[in-house]
Amino acid sequence: MDNIINLQIDGFKCTAVISEIVHRHHKMFKISFNNGYENIFYTDVETGEWIEEDLGFTLLAKEIGNQIKKNKRYSLPDTKILTWHKQYINDKLICFGFYSLINGKQKFYQIYKANKKYMYTLVDMENNEWQILGNSSISGGHIDKAFVSRLIEILPLYTSQVK
């Protein structure tokens, strides 16, 4: 369901149409402004602050978040602390965050991009195999297999942090 919101940023007034994007790990909305600008806005899973996709923690994202908070219909998801990994491998930066947990004998790693957006969950199976769950990029048809291979090498190094 779309809603219309009125914003005032730095004295400039505008109207926008807000459309919720159902997401398991973020509150996420597509916002279309009356001047033609549109973008995706979502919550940071660590702080609950609002992020403007590809631009980060902007004043516009903060104001969008304030407007959304006024609508009692939209509750914010619980926050969680991610573990961040940054490393250069062959002169290429590998940067991701993850939240880990155990369910039975399986280890689950929710993987987040450097921009704090959820990518997918990797599951370290009992039989030394890995499975990808909840991949939001499957519809785009692209999974970076080299990146996933690096994750599978790196994540076991953090076994003491799995809850």
Side-chain angles (χ1 to χ4, degrees), residues 85-124:
H85 182 90
K86 295 178 185 176
Q87 175 184 9
Y88 279 96
I89 300 176
N90 299 327
D91 295 327
K92 183 177 180 186
L93 179 64
I94 303 292
C95 180
F96 65 95
F98 68 92
Y99 181 78
S100 57
L101 55 110
I102 293 179
N103 186 358
K105 293 184 179 181
Q106 298 173 331
K107 297 175 194 140
F108 290 76
Y109 299 90
Q110 295 173 357
I111 308 298
Y112 292 81
K113 295 180 188 179
N115 69 357
K116 300 186 173 230
K117 192 171 184 184
Y118 173 80
M119 294 173 68
Y120 41 74
T121 298
L122 284 176
V123 183
D124 185 359

Side-chain angles (χ1 to χ4, degrees), residues 27-56:
K27 269 301 182 191
M28 187 176 290
F29 294 86
K30 178 181 179 183
I31 312 292
S32 302
F33 295 89
N34 57 350
N35 65 0
Y37 178 69
E38 61 184 29
N39 205 345
I40 305 294
F41 294 80
Y42 58 95
T43 52
D44 173 8
V45 295
E46 292 186 288
T47 65
E49 292 181 42
W50 287 85
I51 298 172
E52 186 172 0
E53 190 167 66
D54 300 326
L55 298 174

